[in-house]
Amino acid sequence: MAIRSFLLFLLCFYSSLSPVLSLYEDQVGLMDWHQQYIGKVKQAVFSTQKTGRRRVIVSTEENVIASLDLRHGEIFWRHLFGSNDAIDGIDIGLGKYVITLSSGGSILRSWNLPDGQMVWESFLQGPKHSKSFLLVPTNMKIEKDNAIVVFSNGGLHAVSCIDGEVLWKKDFEAESFEVQKVINPPGSDLIYVVGFAASSQFEMYQINARNGELLKHESATFSSGFLREVSLVSSDTIVALDSTGSILLTISFQNGEISFQQTPISNLYEEFSGPAVIIPSSVPGIFAIKTNAVTIFIRVIGEGKLEVVEKTNHEIAVSDALPISEGQQAFALIQNAGSEIHLAVKLAHDWDTNLLKESIKMDQQRGLVHKVFINNYIRTDRSHGFRVLIVMEDHSLLLLQQGLIVWSREDGLASIIDVTTSELPLERDGVSVAKVEHSLFEWLKGHMLKLKGTLMLASPEDVAAIQSMRLKSSEKSKMTRDHNGFRKLLIVLTRARKLFALHTGDGRIVWSHLLRSLHKSEACLSPIGLNLYQWQVPHHHAMDENPSVLVISRCGPSSDAPGVLSFVDTYTGKELSSVSLSHDVAQVIPLPYTDSTEQRLHLLIDSDKHAHLYPKTSEALNIFKHEFSNIYWYSVEGHNGIIKGHVLKCKCTGDMAKDFCFDTRELWSVVFPSDSEKIIATVTRKLNEVVHTQAKVIADQDVMYKYISKNLLFVATVAPKGSGEVGSVTPEESWLAAYLIDTVTGRILHRVTHHGAQGPVHAVFSENWVVYHYFNLRAHRYEMSVIEIYDQSRADNKDVWKLVLGKHNLTSPISLFSRPEVITKSQSYFFTHSVKAIAVTSTAKGITSKQLLIGTIGDQVLALDKRFLDPRRSVNPTQAEKEEGMIPLTDSLPIIPQSYVTHALRVECLRGILTVPAKLESTTLVFAHGVDLFFTQLAPSRTYDSLTEDFNYALLLITIVALVAAIFVTWRLSERKELQDKWR
Amino acid sequence: MDTIKVVAAIILTIYLFPFLSFGFQSDELLVDDEEFGLEGAPQPRFPEPTSTRSAPVTTATRKRHSDLDSDSKIEFSLDHAFGDSDFSPAGTFSARIKTWSHGGQTLTKLRFSRNNFTNEEQKKFKNLLESDDFYRIRLPSNVLSPPGRDFIISSVKARCLPREGLDEHFVIHMEGVNVLAVNYGSPGSCSYPRNLKLPVKWSFSSYTVLKNSEQAPRAPIFTEEILGGENGGGEVVQPPERSFWAKYWMYLIPLGLIITNAITQAMNMPEEQATGQVPASAGMVQRGPSSAARRR
């Protein structure tokens, strides 16, 4: 009995230890989450036909076209175009095809509306590059074909809607002709192409839509020229501004006759000063201009007469016109007013009456309304109802109907610039105990269910209950720090200058914050978020101080625009403070020192090579002065191929003379010959990487010492000719050189050339090795190489006696000014995929073996054991090497389908992979971001330090109870037997 | 372990042999760098490819003799600076340019002659030593048309240089006739914290090494293995064959336990029967001792 239960226990123990190389189907979603986004919407088209009525088709700035559910905002289908295939226009043809024009107007595609399958694709060539327009007339038939009119690449094309065949084509050869509008008046067979030529000439072409024949060509000159934006107010009138931006021009081309009508804006609006701009719209009879902060709506009353209908100081957004009934067109107008937005739907010809007027409370963190798209529906009482889709400043997408936000999508998360992590608050005492008691019964019940599952007694309902219980475990989405360090906050900076905090447990948004300091203002015209750094990570004061992050941004696209720093609390999302800098930010160096409040010292380098210390406190200055002579930094000038090393010199001289500003001095330089080498990749080790041991025990009980300097820089250069696309050069003309450079002294520690290799190079640096990926032109394959660097100066410390007697140099400080004694080992392997990003797993203590995380071209993340990229692999490893775990040499790296960490999912447009150590040594957290987000936990050497989450504690408990009972019973039996023996 | 040591020693002797045979005065510089020599083998501390006691130099300007087409001589100067001071000439490198048949040019036979410190320079250097500041050197980035695009700068803490005299070590990384980088420093280690130590002799002993880029090893290609691997379903990692014991120990141990248990029980049974029978015959007489024996 006892033996049997012991065996049962053994069996149960071993089953729980069975290797977990990949996920089982029912484990998907337990520790990982995946979110799909589309990006900032550029254009939205509502489907009007019966079945498609519940859908909206959108194109976005991330080059996605997607079909969204109008009721819930979910994605029906979605396609991602490449980064060089930007979408210029979308429309719906024949009610069932989505037509997209992309790549600067050269690719026209048609997609099936219900399921998103591609129907046809055609390429439109033309003589020159130009603006492109897509026009899908509702009932224009050319030989029974419904036609699409496309103006692109300097030519007008009519394309069949059914099969994408070009029906006719008309080229506009005129050199300087710039098209502004392509117009097809409803119900007519004419197409008007209007635009400007030579800055002061207005041109109008009238074309027969049936065969592309040029019917009429008129041009007229306006002496003072035009601004480029125009607004279409009717099918034969457009409004433009003259080149000074102060005179409105109404240009009408009725019957092919061009006539100008000039109206100075000051006639309409007395306080007018400074240039105005036209807000592009196409509402019949109405247009809007913006001057300073005032937006003016102007009505066109026949014969070019203009009349101001409304002036407003609020930021506004206007939709295009939507035909609602015969001859009537409606449009939506949204005004931003503080915490509310005012939505008005008006008829185009009747400004004063509102079809709809609503005020909607809007979250301040969404910013202003940028775009509006209007759609109508028939209400239950047969009147017209309207719903609008709005795009906000933070790139989110919202649907408004009946004065409510029906749904919202946080599509700002599709364009992440930088990611960092933050710990969650510690659990306070007195909260958890009661909860545990309360859920004790639940806990038992859950384990009984699990037990049933293990013993295969569970009914299908029970199985479903078990699965949902596992997925919804409240444990993983708690807002407190956990023992294993699995729960964290991912702090994410998006292109819309918004910060998000995502919970690693389930990916929900904990808080979001549109950076106040980065609002457009006089001083800062076009702010751009750049980087995130951990500013304050409290350990000693973790109970009463919140961690904060530093957001670095700059005003304007040029690199010498002044920088802005903002400090944001990571628990609440509040912006603690912000500083507008007087200098620009070329480089940010987080120093390994913290002050008494555990704020990390940061050194900001500007483009004049001055170093500025933050935080600007005397305490920080004292700490900094103490380490002053030990701070070295380097700069990479990629454009002219120079890498320079610098050291701090003294306080700034001249007008910059301040306490926290320091001059620097150039210490070393590496100049790559411009005719043979061009820098394409530089990689360093992660600052926070932990290396467990410097020694590496190899076969035969021998020891090698890793060269683990934090100041190593990997540089990859290619021949300037070979820096283009793969295939643009012959193998003889192309080479790739890899360097390991010490950034303190500028020594080149290792230098190797790969002939016949070409970029792009993706590399990752960790501990004492670097792995890089490139294309081998000779073998026509991608290759990955590994370089490992070992310290020879410590190689003598192998003798045990030396260690015992202390005659070793392991504890002596290392100076990088000593001549390095290093050896390197390297090896190359073929790799099937091209790569979008490479990262490496990182764990808390660095004991666990490493895996490379490779973002493949298929937008998946592949985990590859570092052991495969060991330079010491040989064809026939010796017995000792086999025991060490060395894999016999192969020429290519294996791609094991089970080792995709994204399993069946794709992280569309993968841009970056972040790995964060959990507190549990075996586990690392992985966050991959692109248009989609994906998060999971990885255990590169399996979870050797914890039981798996589906470990059955109840079974263990029962086994122990049974064992104890068995002991008692057998004891009793033996007692009795002995007694009987005695009485015999 | 021992065999490796022996092999290493042999390699070492073979390795050092050329130096011994040519003697120290040799100015021949092998183009291939000696520093990294044979991978894995312990290297001599000082390869000493070129050791030139500083000799006075008359001119620091570049001269070029074009009497040889494929092998012409050039000179380029080394400048130095003390801390933040301006650069001034410090010595001259001379070398031969070898033109290869495929058009490439490389430098060979590099020699270096160092100017002696003037009194003023000595004073400046002493100041550097006292303030633990940087001694900086620079080279042109192109030896044919100096300074090329920019100067190559390298620095070292001045306190790293003094030993007996002043010891310096140059590793010049070349790409054709372009200087990519120069690693400058003391030939040995520079311990930290750096102590102030004045040199006994104010003369330089310089070691110079020219380095060109190494070729990367090509990725191994095994065609047969690929085919074999494909037949095997792409399985690359084959777990090492384990012994019978390693595979089935978890079954064997309980089995063994059960068997031993059964055997002891089987042994006990006849014994019990036997002991049970003996007292049955002589039980009346010796009851006490027999039960005591059984309980033993």
Side-chain angles (χ1 to χ4, degrees):
Chain A
M1 171 72 185
I3 282 178
R4 203 179 293 164
S5 50
F6 175 70
L7 278 181
L8 194 73
F9 171 71
L10 266 184
L11 210 72
C12 139
F13 186 66
Y14 280 109
S15 67
S16 71
L17 277 187
S18 64
V20 187
L21 266 176
S22 53
L23 287 179
Y24 290 102
E25 197 181 347
D26 64 339
Q27 286 174 321
V28 167
L30 274 186
M31 297 173 302
D32 55 340
W33 47 263
H34 180 236
Q35 294 175 353
Q36 295 188 316
Y37 294 102
I38 52 175
K40 186 185 184 182
V41 170
K42 267 204 284 201
Q43 204 182 347
V45 185
F46 293 88
S47 172
T48 47
Q49 300 267 329
K50 271 181 238 157
T51 45
R53 196 169 289 164
R54 288 176 46 213
R55 300 178 173 211
V56 57
I57 312 294
V58 293
S59 71
T60 72
E61 285 177 2
E62 296 292 333
N63 302 334
V64 172
I65 83 158
S67 164
L68 303 180
D69 185 346
L70 261 187
R71 305 265 157 89
H72 310 288
E74 283 152 13
I75 299 170
F76 276 124
W77 53 261
R78 163 180 83 146
H79 291 291
L80 190 88
F81 294 12
S83 57
N84 50 1
D85 194 11
I87 302 172
D88 302 308
I90 57 166
D91 211 334
I92 293 178
L94 291 178
K96 56 182 175 183
Y97 299 122
V98 179
I99 315 286
T100 62
L101 183 67
S102 59
S103 266
S106 33
I107 304 176
L108 191 67
R109 295 190 183 98
S110 167
W111 313 83
N112 195 14
L113 178 58
D115 57 3
Q117 305 246 30
M118 193 195 279
V119 183
W120 50 258
E121 179 179 45
S122 62
F123 296 90
L124 307 174
Q125 254 92 44
K128 61 176 181 181
H129 188 74
S130 75
K131 254 190 184 179
S132 48
F133 298 89
L134 173 69
L135 209 65
V136 183
T138 43
N139 50 356
M140 194 170 80
K141 300 237 173 187
I142 302 173
E143 294 158 8
K144 290 180 189 165
D145 261 355
N146 272 60
I148 302 163
V149 179
V150 178
F151 188 94
S152 69
N153 292 327
L156 190 68
H157 310 256
V159 182
S160 161
C161 198
I162 307 295
D163 54 7
E165 211 178 307
V166 177
L167 300 172
W168 54 258
K169 189 180 166 199
K170 167 92 185 81
D171 282 345
F172 292 84
E173 303 286 351
E175 260 305 296
S176 62
F177 179 59
E178 258 184 67
V179 181
Q180 292 299 329
K181 289 277 170 196
V182 178
I183 307 150
N184 173 233
S188 89
D189 275 349
L190 297 174
I191 295 171
Y192 293 96
V193 178
V194 296
F196 304 120
S199 80
S200 64
Q201 195 156 330
F202 179 78
E203 306 253 349
M204 189 276 293
Y205 295 87
Q206 194 184 46
I207 287 158
N208 186 346
R210 295 202 170 277
N211 50 18
E213 195 186 328
L214 179 63
L215 299 176
K216 215 176 255 180
H217 173 211
E218 295 284 331
S219 64
T221 313
F222 180 73
S223 52
S224 59
F226 306 95
L227 280 185
R228 284 290 168 256
E229 286 292 334
V230 298
S231 190
L232 187 71
V233 290
S234 75
S235 61
D236 52 9
T237 315
I238 62 167
V239 175
L241 277 166
D242 79 328
S243 55
T244 61
S246 58
I247 299 171
L248 279 169
L249 293 166
T250 319
I251 310 165
S252 101
F253 42 94
Q254 220 160 8
N255 307 323
E257 310 278 312
I258 301 174
S259 62
F260 290 110
Q261 198 90 39
Q262 295 182 40
T263 319
I265 298 175
S266 49
N267 287 6
L268 299 167
Y269 173 56
E270 283 79 24
E271 295 109 85
F272 173 75
S273 65
V277 284
I278 287 190
I279 297 173
S281 68
S282 60
V283 181
I286 302 270
F287 66 94
I289 57 170
K290 194 174 174 188
T291 165
N292 297 332
V294 184
T295 311
I296 307 166
F297 286 92
I298 298 169
R299 177 156 54 189
V300 184
I301 340 165
E303 295 304 309
K305 266 199 187 150
L306 304 178
E307 180 192 49
V308 172
V309 287
E310 194 166 322
K311 280 176 278 197
T312 175
N313 285 324
H314 297 309
E315 290 282 335
I316 58 124
V318 190
S319 77
D320 284 352
L322 170 84
I324 48 169
S325 58
E326 201 56 49
Q328 278 195 316
Q329 290 190 312
F331 69 97
L333 171 71
I334 286 190
Q335 300 194 21
N336 294 290
S339 62
E340 283 194 332
I341 58 166
H342 302 304
L343 166 69
V345 178
K346 296 169 191 277
L347 280 178
H349 294 285
D350 188 3
W351 179 270
D352 301 319
T353 53
N354 290 324
L355 291 174
L356 187 74
K357 195 166 167 62
E358 282 163 357
S359 284
I360 296 146
K361 245 198 152 2
M362 189 55 71
D363 183 4
Q364 285 284 290
Q365 303 304 339
R366 293 196 188 277
L368 307 172
V369 177
H370 272 190
K371 280 186 175 136
V372 193
F373 304 98
I374 186 170
N375 176 227
N376 66 333
Y377 60 94
I378 309 292
R379 287 209 191 113
T380 43
D381 60 352
R382 305 253 161 219
S383 61
H384 283 294
F386 294 95
R387 52 168 91 93
V388 294
L389 200 62
I390 56 174
V391 182
M392 306 296 293
E393 194 178 355
D394 68 341
H395 298 185
S396 59
L397 184 69
L398 294 89
L399 185 82
L400 308 182
Q401 188 177 329
Q402 297 156 5
L404 292 171
I405 298 170
V406 183
W407 50 259
S408 63
R409 292 181 57 87
E410 292 290 350
D411 278 309
L413 286 172
S415 45
I416 290 176
I417 296 174
D418 203 1
V419 189
T420 186
T421 54
S422 159
E423 294 289 344
L424 281 159
L426 284 169
E427 197 153 355
R428 314 262 173 197
D429 294 335
V431 183
S432 54
V433 183
K435 260 191 180 168
V436 167
E437 277 171 1
H438 177 75
S439 59
L440 192 65
F441 178 67
E442 288 288 308
W443 184 85
L444 262 180
K445 209 170 100 184
H447 275 294
M448 284 315 290
L449 269 177
K450 265 192 200 169
L451 184 63
K452 266 175 144 183
T454 356
L455 301 176
M456 304 200 182
L457 299 169
S459 61
E461 293 92 71
D462 287 345
V463 172
I466 294 169
Q467 184 64 10
S468 69
M469 205 168 60
R470 290 168 72 191
L471 288 179
K472 267 189 260 146
S473 134
S474 59
E475 208 36 37
K476 68 176 186 183
S477 54
K478 260 194 195 166
M479 276 304 295
T480 51
R481 223 174 272 191
D482 65 332
H483 185 66
N484 289 335
F486 292 164
R487 294 198 297 260
K488 281 184 201 300
L489 286 178
L490 291 167
I491 313 292
V492 157
L493 176 67
T494 67
R495 202 172 295 154
R497 308 185 304 279
K498 194 172 184 181
L499 272 184
F500 288 92
L502 305 177
H503 196 289
T504 55
D506 50 4
R508 69 174 190 279
I509 295 168
V510 179
W511 51 260
S512 61
H513 178 79
L514 194 67
L515 290 173
R516 287 283 141 230
S517 54
L518 289 182
H519 269 309
K520 279 181 194 173
S521 63
E522 298 275 311
C524 196
L525 277 176
S526 52
I528 299 169
L530 292 179
N531 287 108
L532 275 176
Y533 292 93
Q534 290 184 339
W535 177 252
Q536 191 180 13
V537 186
H539 292 290
H540 305 305
H541 312 282
M543 288 304 262
D544 40 48
E545 254 181 87
N546 294 359
S548 54
V549 289
L550 165 68
V551 186
I552 307 238
S553 40
R554 70 166 176 244
C555 295
S558 70
S559 61
D560 54 354
V564 180
L565 307 183
S566 345
F567 305 92
V568 180
D569 186 322
T570 61
Y571 289 174
T572 60
K574 291 229 164 58
E575 195 167 345
L576 302 170
S577 62
S578 72
V579 190
S580 287
L581 306 179
S582 54
H583 56 87
D584 56 330
V585 182
Q587 214 174 336
V588 182
I589 304 169
L591 298 172
Y593 316 115
T594 52
D595 66 7
S596 60
T597 58
E598 293 177 88
Q599 288 183 346
R600 185 162 295 276
L601 270 60
H602 282 70
L603 209 56
L604 271 59
I605 313 289
D606 65 17
S607 53
D608 297 330
K609 304 265 184 283
H610 290 296
H612 303 265
L613 176 70
Y614 290 89
K616 290 192 170 182
T617 57
S618 56
E619 190 200 354
L621 198 62
N622 282 336
I623 299 168
F624 184 70
K625 282 221 173 109
H626 196 245
E627 299 291 341
F628 191 79
S629 62
N630 285 333
I631 294 170
Y632 298 84
W633 56 281
Y634 71 95
S635 59
V636 179
E637 294 167 21
H639 55 281
N640 58 0
I642 296 180
I643 300 177
K644 283 179 177 166
H646 309 264
V647 70
L648 296 168
K649 196 164 69 177
C650 56
K651 281 196 180 150
C652 283
T653 48
D655 55 342
M656 295 283 273
K658 281 176 207 152
D659 278 351
F660 299 96
C661 167
F662 301 92
D663 272 338
T664 60
R665 169 204 306 181
E666 192 182 322
L667 214 55
W668 54 265
S669 62
V670 174
V671 181
F672 294 104
S674 55
D675 54 335
S676 64
E677 292 186 39
K678 180 172 182 284
I679 300 173
I680 56 164
T682 55
V683 179
T684 53
R685 275 177 65 188
K686 258 199 212 169
L687 281 173
N688 55 0
E689 191 185 53
V690 185
V691 181
H692 178 246
T693 170
Q694 197 194 352
K696 182 174 178 177
V697 180
I698 55 171
D700 312 331
Q701 265 72 53
D702 212 348
V703 182
M704 290 181 90
Y705 289 89
K706 301 172 187 169
Y707 187 79
I708 38 174
S709 161
K710 290 243 174 196
N711 303 304
L712 275 185
L713 172 72
F714 169 79
V715 180
T717 64
V718 289
K721 265 189 186 173
S723 57
E725 294 270 298
V726 167
S728 56
V729 282
T730 59
E732 284 73 33
E733 294 173 317
S734 184
W735 55 84
L736 183 145
Y739 297 86
L740 287 179
I741 297 176
D742 185 302
T743 58
V744 171
T745 58
R747 289 177 199 268
I748 296 181
L749 297 178
H750 181 65
R751 176 181 174 202
V752 73
T753 312
H754 298 264
H755 286 283
Q758 199 179 8
V761 172
H762 294 275
V764 62
F765 204 142
S766 170
E767 294 197 351
N768 66 326
W769 52 264
V770 58
V771 169
Y772 51 104
H773 177 270
Y774 53 90
F775 190 76
N776 186 335
L777 288 166
R778 288 218 170 90
H780 311 289
R781 283 200 262 185
Y782 283 99
E783 240 177 50
M784 272 170 112
S785 282
V786 57
I787 301 174
E788 288 188 3
I789 180 161
Y790 291 96
D791 193 352
Q792 283 296 96
S793 64
R794 314 206 148 198
D796 307 334
N797 303 309
K798 285 173 190 166
D799 203 335
V800 179
W801 285 111
K802 269 190 180 175
L803 293 176
V804 171
L805 298 172
K807 284 188 175 172
H808 56 85
N809 59 355
L810 291 178
T811 48
S812 60
I814 304 170
S815 171
L816 288 169
F817 289 108
S818 307
R819 199 164 75 99
E821 294 171 60
V822 293
I823 59 163
T824 52
K825 290 177 177 288
S826 62
Q827 181 72 267
S828 304
Y829 302 94
F830 293 121
F831 187 69
T832 316
H833 289 305
S834 66
V835 158
K836 285 187 166 177
I838 302 189
V840 65
T841 57
S842 56
T843 52
K845 303 254 171 7
I847 301 169
T848 309
S849 65
K850 305 246 170 196
Q851 279 186 338
L852 289 171
L853 300 175
I854 300 166
T856 64
I857 194 71
D859 292 319
Q860 294 207 306
V861 179
L862 178 76
L864 184 71
D865 241 349
K866 168 67 179 57
R867 287 189 305 147
F868 287 110
L869 279 153
D870 189 332
R872 296 191 303 125
R873 278 173 72 182
S874 57
V875 183
N876 293 312
T878 61
Q879 192 58 39
E881 283 175 335
K882 271 184 193 163
E883 276 167 20
E884 191 195 325
M886 201 173 295
I887 302 160
L889 183 68
T890 50
D891 60 347
S892 53
L893 298 170
I895 292 171
I896 304 159
Q898 288 95 321
S899 59
Y900 279 104
V901 298
T902 45
H903 38 91
L905 304 168
R906 284 165 56 121
V907 188
E908 292 281 359
C909 192
L910 183 72
R911 275 185 288 252
I913 304 168
L914 176 84
T915 57
V916 191
K919 249 185 233 159
L920 201 63
E921 168 55 30
S922 68
T923 312
T924 174
L925 311 177
V926 179
F927 178 60
H929 60 92
V931 169
D932 292 352
L933 310 182
F934 179 79
F935 175 88
T936 192
Q937 293 172 12
L938 272 190
S941 307
R942 299 167 202 169
T943 47
Y944 54 81
D945 50 2
S946 70
L947 294 170
T948 52
E949 60 82 42
D950 52 352
F951 180 77
N952 205 329
Y953 292 93
L955 188 62
L956 180 66
L957 218 80
I958 289 168
T959 315
I960 290 167
V961 168
L963 270 175
V964 170
I967 286 167
F968 271 102
V969 167
T970 46
W971 180 60
R972 254 305 177 48
L973 284 176
S974 77
E975 285 265 289
R976 196 186 285 175
K977 199 167 178 228
E978 204 152 305
L979 194 66
Q980 273 178 353
D981 277 354
K982 281 186 179 165
W983 276 105
R984 194 175 294 177
Chain B
M1 183 82 173
D2 277 349
T3 50
I4 283 182
K5 266 188 189 162
V6 171
V7 169
I10 291 168
I11 289 170
L12 204 72
T13 34
I14 295 169
Y15 194 64
L16 287 173
F17 187 70
F19 296 117
L20 297 174
S21 61
F22 284 117
F24 260 92
Q25 298 311 309
S26 166
D27 52 16
E28 173 88 32
L29 181 92
L30 300 170
V31 177
D32 281 335
D33 56 286
E34 292 82 358
E35 263 207 329
F36 282 45
L38 286 163
E39 268 195 2
Q43 283 133 23
R45 280 259 150 165
F46 302 111
E48 302 187 19
T50 315
S51 158
T52 327
R53 288 283 151 183
S54 53
V57 165
T58 46
T59 172
T61 52
R62 192 171 63 88
K63 276 186 281 177
R64 195 171 166 182
H65 306 285
S66 54
D67 49 357
L68 282 165
D69 283 341
S70 63
D71 209 359
S72 57
K73 207 170 175 216
I74 57 144
E75 283 184 356
F76 54 96
S77 73
L78 172 86
D79 297 345
H80 64 176
F82 303 90
D84 287 329
S85 77
D86 288 334
F87 283 96
S88 56
T92 315
F93 283 98
S94 57
R96 282 176 179 276
I97 290 189
K98 192 163 186 187
T99 308
W100 297 92
S101 53
H102 56 73
Q105 287 178 311
T106 48
L107 290 193
T108 56
K109 297 186 181 171
L110 186 77
R111 294 182 196 200
F112 178 54
S113 58
R114 193 53 142 123
N115 303 354
N116 274 332
F117 271 161
T118 60
N119 282 342
E120 197 185 338
E121 282 170 338
Q122 256 187 41
K123 216 158 70 189
K124 279 186 186 166
F125 198 83
K126 266 183 197 160
N127 284 340
L128 285 189
L129 289 177
E130 271 152 24
S131 59
D132 193 21
D133 209 345
F134 287 99
Y135 176 65
R136 307 200 288 162
I137 56 143
R138 76 174 185 192
L139 283 176
S141 68
N142 188 314
V143 295
L144 287 186
S145 56
R149 277 206 303 146
D150 204 343
F151 282 104
I152 311 288
I153 300 172
S154 189
S155 323
V156 71
K157 287 271 186 188
R159 286 187 186 180
C160 288
L161 294 180
R163 252 154 249 277
E164 269 302 289
L166 291 165
D167 287 4
E168 59 182 357
H169 185 262
F170 295 87
V171 181
I172 303 174
H173 290 265
M174 302 291 298
E175 172 71 52
V177 292
N178 291 305
V179 180
L180 211 73
V182 54
N183 302 354
Y184 180 67
S186 67
S189 67
C190 176
S191 61
Y192 185 88
R194 288 177 288 271
N195 297 319
L196 176 60
K197 181 184 159 196
L198 289 175
V200 184
K201 284 187 290 181
W202 282 95
S203 65
F204 273 97
S205 47
S206 314
Y207 309 94
T208 53
V209 177
L210 266 189
K211 265 195 177 183
N212 280 299
S213 187
E214 293 170 47
Q215 277 257 30
R218 290 221 183 147
I221 298 176
F222 323 115
T223 4
E224 300 92 335
E225 262 83 344
I226 294 168
L227 291 173
E230 273 167 4
N231 290 341
E235 181 60 47
V236 181
V237 205
Q238 279 182 344
E241 194 59 42
R242 287 182 298 177
S243 65
F244 180 78
W245 177 245
K247 266 185 190 168
Y248 300 113
W249 63 272
M250 64 284 263
Y251 306 113
L252 290 176
I253 288 177
L255 196 73
L257 278 172
I258 291 165
I259 289 169
T260 45
N261 206 2
I263 287 171
T264 44
Q265 274 191 352
M267 297 269 282
N268 278 353
M269 212 80 89
E271 193 185 327
E272 204 161 329
Q273 277 170 1
T275 47
Q277 275 165 3
V278 173
S281 57
M284 309 294 174
V285 195
Q286 284 185 320
R287 191 172 199 158
S290 93
S291 70
R294 194 158 10 118
R295 213 171 289 153
R296 213 182 291 154

